[in-house]
Amino acid sequence: KRMRTILSEMGYNPEGFRSRGVIAEDVAWADKIIVMGNAHLKYFSEHYPEVNEKIQLWPIQDPHFAQGTTVHQTVATEIEKRILDQFC
């Protein structure tokens, strides 16, 4: 809920925004897989080693366990910056 509020404040429409686990169809569909931390990197290496060349690590704090909204704002801003720098 906090991240949806932050995204709205940044001018994005968070409708339908929900995190969920990755499934094989997601991995097959993706051209690039961006992970946020070593735990995610390890997960893909163990469960989907055939896609290692698709994976890019963005060492950004996972806000899941964060208290308050400061971390959420920082994470959203960092992700936005990286997307704009890399894809736009």
Side-chain angles (χ1 to χ4, degrees), residues 6-17:
I6 296 294
L7 292 173
S8 291
E9 291 171 357
M10 293 174 70
Y12 296 102
N13 179 359
E15 178 120 3
F17 177 79

Side-chain angles (χ1 to χ4, degrees), residues 63-75:
H64 181 72
F65 299 106
Q67 301 294 319
T69 59
T70 304
V71 172
H72 291 78
Q73 179 66 53
T74 302
V75 167

Side-chain angles (χ1 to χ4, degrees), residues 38-56:
N38 290 326
H40 295 143
L41 188 62
K42 182 180 179 193
Y43 173 84
F44 277 95
S45 294
E46 290 175 356
H47 293 89
Y48 302 102
E50 70 279 6
V51 300
N52 283 340
E53 70 281 353
K54 292 183 180 184
I55 297 174
Q56 184 177 5

